[in-house]
């Protein structure tokens, strides 16, 4: 098992794993993912996808985006999203290792905090995040959906 930054070669497997996230990615092609990767992600040093990869298959992942900030003495914010581990690989600590990679990246980028969102119904995931040190009580997220999937 390899815990590492994901690359373009991992996209097909990553897209397949995202089908387990919430069902909102059905029909999204690896060709479309590759286009977005090349145009928006590959050269952007503030966006990283991390994953646990076994024999070429992404089995756990998260992505993070570093957002520059003019408060907190210029300390940036790291936003983490799309945390998912393949059902067959849960309970092995892979999600923790992937999240720790993202948190380390946030530290390298001088972030003063890491933010993530989780569906309000995902109580088991909330316990996982709290064990990593996240505080689920200090802030409230508001979402304005511009598209429904």
């Amino acid at each position: 098992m390899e815990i590492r930054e994901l690359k373009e070669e991992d996209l097909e497997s990553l897209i397949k794993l995202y089908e387990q996230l919430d069902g909102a990615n059905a029909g999204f092609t690896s060709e479309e993912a590759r286009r977005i990767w090349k145009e928006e992600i590959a050269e952007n040093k503030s966006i990283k996808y991390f994953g646990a990869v076994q024999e070429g298959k992404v089995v756990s992942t998260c992505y993070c985006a570093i957002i520059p900030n003019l408060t907190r003495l210029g300390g940036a914010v790291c936003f983490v999203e799309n945390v998912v581990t393949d059902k067959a690989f849960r309970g092995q600590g892979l999600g923790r290792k992937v999240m720790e990679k993202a948190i380390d990246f946030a530290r390298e980028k001088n972030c003063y905090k890491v933010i993530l969102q989780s569906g309000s119904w995902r109580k088991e995931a909330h316990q996982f995040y709290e064990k990593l040190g996240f505080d689920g009580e200090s802030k409230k997220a508001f979402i304005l959906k511009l598209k429904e999937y």
Side-chain angles (χ1 to χ4, degrees):
M1 187 73 62
E2 190 179 13
I3 310 297
R4 62 171 170 77
E5 182 179 339
L6 299 180
K7 304 175 282 200
E8 184 178 347
E9 297 79 42
D10 299 308
L11 283 177
E12 192 167 327
S13 178
L14 178 63
I15 297 307
K16 198 83 173 143
L17 177 59
Y18 278 160
E19 291 175 7
Q20 293 185 35
L21 188 60
D22 61 11
N25 221 36
F28 187 64
T29 66
S30 53
E31 291 79 22
E32 182 65 9
R34 190 163 278 104
R35 182 192 64 74
I36 293 169
W37 186 274
K38 287 179 179 179
E39 292 177 9
E40 305 289 337
I41 297 168
E43 300 302 319
N44 189 331
K45 294 181 183 352
S46 294
I47 298 175
K48 298 285 182 189
Y49 283 73
F50 296 105
V53 182
Q54 182 176 16
E55 297 174 5
K57 178 182 178 183
V58 179
V59 297
S60 184
T61 190
C62 74
Y63 101 90
C64 54
I66 306 299
I67 304 165
N69 182 28
L70 295 176
T71 65
R72 307 291 180 174
L73 303 174
V77 175
C78 177
F79 183 76
V80 174
E81 185 81 18
N82 299 334
V83 180
V84 61
T85 298
D86 187 298
K87 292 173 186 167
F89 289 84
R90 291 181 187 164
Q92 298 179 27
L94 299 176
R96 170 178 282 281
K97 290 177 182 176
V98 168
M99 286 292 293
E100 287 171 347
K101 275 288 236 200
I103 293 166
D104 288 344
F105 178 61
R107 285 190 181 103
E108 289 171 20
K109 292 294 192 175
N110 193 36
C111 293
Y112 83 95
K113 70 179 175 181
V114 178
I115 301 170
L116 64 83
Q117 296 181 130
S118 179
S120 58
W121 67 93
R122 299 186 65 219
K123 303 301 181 197
E124 198 172 299
H126 301 168
Q127 292 172 350
F128 166 72
Y129 299 134
E130 287 168 354
K131 286 179 185 173
L132 285 168
F134 286 86
D135 177 359
E137 301 298 321
S138 64
K139 297 276 185 168
K140 181 176 176 106
F142 292 86
I143 299 170
L144 173 63
K145 291 190 177 185
L146 301 178
K147 294 182 181 181
E148 289 294 329
Y149 296 96

